[in-house]
């Protein structure tokens, strides 16, 4: 009974940094975490950029990164079969109370732009 109650409280946020979780930021972009290696923390997945004012919108790009407890970092090289934006973004942040809070840097040529993204869990679609 005790374990059940604790588990219920822990699930109240409905999310954590786990494989097969999907996260959406305030720009409508989506991070899908596909795998997390339990030994190394290495993360793989994909990222669909939907942010207005940027290139490489609307198709999935490979994600590589790390998870360490509630800490997370990942990078995207913006090149896939559809488009090459000749740029790389890295996000660094932490998971807390159902939200991944991040800061990011985007490098293109000799320009580095930065900003902040907040991601919340996207409910898994019912089959
Ligand atoms: C580019 O325009 O060179 C590639 C796309 C960059 C999209 C950026 S990455 C940081 C910010 N957060 C998003 O979800 N999209 C933008």
């Amino acid at each position: 009974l005790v374990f059940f109650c604790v588990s219920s409280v822990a699930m109240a946020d409905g999310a954590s940094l786990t494989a097969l979780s999907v996260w959406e930021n305030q720009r409508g972009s989506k991070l899908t975490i596909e795998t997390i290696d339990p030994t190394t923390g290495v993360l793989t997945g994909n990222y669909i950029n939907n942010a207005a004012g940027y290139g490489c919108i609307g198709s999935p790009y490979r994600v590589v990164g790390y998870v360490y407890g509630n800490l997370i970092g990942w990078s995207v090289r913006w090149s896939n079969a559809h488009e090459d934006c000749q740029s790389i973004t890295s996000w660094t942040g932490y998971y807390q109370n159902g939200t991944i809070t991040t800061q990011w840097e985007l490098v293109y040529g000799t320009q580095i732009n930065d900003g902040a993204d907040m991601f919340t869990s996207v409910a898994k679609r019912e089959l």
Side-chain angles (χ1 to χ4, degrees):
L1 180 59
V2 171
F3 283 123
F4 173 77
C5 292
V6 170
S7 164
S8 299
V9 171
M11 290 301 292
D13 291 325
S16 59
L17 297 179
T18 58
L20 302 179
S21 59
V22 182
W23 302 85
E24 181 168 359
N25 72 9
Q26 77 284 2
R27 308 167 197 270
S29 300
K30 283 195 178 74
L31 166 71
T32 298
I33 301 175
E34 290 168 349
T35 66
I36 301 172
D37 185 296
T39 305
T40 62
V42 168
L43 167 167
T44 69
N46 72 78
Y47 196 97
I48 299 176
N49 174 41
N50 288 314
Y54 292 91
C56 289
I57 284 176
S59 67
Y61 291 82
R62 180 139 197 242
V63 164
V64 294
Y66 281 104
V67 169
Y68 174 67
N70 66 318
L71 312 185
I72 185 169
W74 73 91
S75 298
V76 172
R77 159 72 174 104
W78 296 104
S79 177
N80 66 13
H82 294 281
E83 196 172 357
D84 185 350
C85 286
Q86 303 185 334
S87 58
I88 296 171
T89 304
S90 294
W91 287 257
T92 306
Y94 59 88
Y95 170 84
Q96 189 176 55
N97 298 332
T99 299
I100 304 173
T101 300
T102 69
Q103 295 188 6
W104 53 261
E105 292 189 306
L106 166 62
V107 61
Y108 173 84
T110 57
Q111 279 182 235
I112 303 173
N113 295 320
D114 59 79
D117 279 346
M118 301 254 288
F119 295 81
T120 53
S121 169
V122 176
K124 278 175 191 155
R125 195 158 48 89
E126 307 271 336
L127 290 175

